[in-house]
Amino acid sequence: MRRRILGFGAALITFVAVAGCGSSDSGAGDSSSSGGGKTTTVKVGIIPIVDVAPLYLGQEKGFFSSRGIKLEMVPAQGGAAIVPGVVSGQFKFGFSNTTSLMLAQVKGVPVKSVVNGAASNGKVGGDVTAVMVKKDSPVKTAKDLAGRTVAVNTLQNIGDTTVRESVRKAGGDPSEVKFVEIPFDQMPAAVDDGRVDAAWMGEPAQTVAKAQGARVVASPFAETDPKLTVATYFTSAQFAQQNPDLVKRFTEAMAESLEYASAHPDEARQTLTTYTKISGDVLKNLILPSWPADVDMASLEKLAALSEEDGLFGDKKPDLNTLFS
């Protein structure tokens, strides 16, 4: 775990170096125009998961093209690739969980959230992420996770922070939970094989695990805050300052996409087939997040406080107003 934290810190130092010597060219790069300069092609770094369905749906419905934006989605493994890609100008916008953005900011990485991405749906026992155990596991509640091994997709992030809060609220000692890093798609097998006592799963891993008989023992997002803002779309502070019109158009198109996806969940669900291999019963049964157009600052303040309690930010604190408003 210590090696993982040090490695992440080194990566963030690299981000700062890239930002400090970044080009002042805010326009072209991977952006091009057509039709007399009326349409701009914009690369967006994304993680191909359920949460980004509104982005693809908005593209399909013309919410971006009507504002002169042609999207080019570039899949990445996670924020560790997306954040430096945005700061260096490889992507104009990116998608990241809010804890990663806070951590980047306190490390001096110049990022700026521009519009909401996804939130908890607020349903304990039916949220977009859950801590799951084998059917015959002795773990009955989050309190029982103390002293056991729980898988998360990345250490020192929104997963282990919110899992600790679920344990704390259930009356357990969060400091006694041992976290290990396993990719989401490998978690159902890890739980089923007994390699870990439990796993914090997103979708579709959660639905796959349920089909194997796994049980939900905690809903960390909903239990931390039923309106928890989980992820947002962001850009670099420099790009936001130098391209206010494009940022405004992207933000408006994304907000419309979020509103449409919220009102048409079946269409949002079907959109998953265009950028993932999800289909059949998994597609039908997986749980969707909430897609409000605005971030919930109260939930972010709570998440930041919990992250500080975990020692994630060192001796600094994130400036949430600068980052998210």
Side-chain angles (χ1 to χ4, degrees), residues 14-25:
T14 301
F15 299 170
V16 176
V18 170
C21 61
S23 169
S24 61
D25 179 8

Side-chain angles (χ1 to χ4, degrees), residues 51-52 95 98 116-120 228-233 258 289-292:
D51 305 54
V52 298
F95 178 87
T98 48
N116 199 20
S120 167
L228 182 64
T229 295
V230 174
T232 67
Y233 292 90
L258 293 166
S290 175
W291 288 305

Side-chain angles (χ1 to χ4, degrees), residues 7-17 83 100 103-109:
F8 188 45
L12 284 169
I13 292 171
T14 301
F15 299 170
V16 176
V83 171
S100 287
L103 182 58
Q105 188 199 55
V106 299
K107 294 294 184 180
V109 182

Side-chain angles (χ1 to χ4, degrees), residues 17-51:
V18 170
C21 61
S23 169
S24 61
D25 179 8
S26 61
D30 59 20
S31 294
S32 60
S33 59
S34 62
K38 294 181 180 180
T39 300
T40 303
T41 300
V42 176
K43 287 186 179 181
V44 184
I46 59 95
I47 308 168
I49 54 176
V50 172
D51 305 54

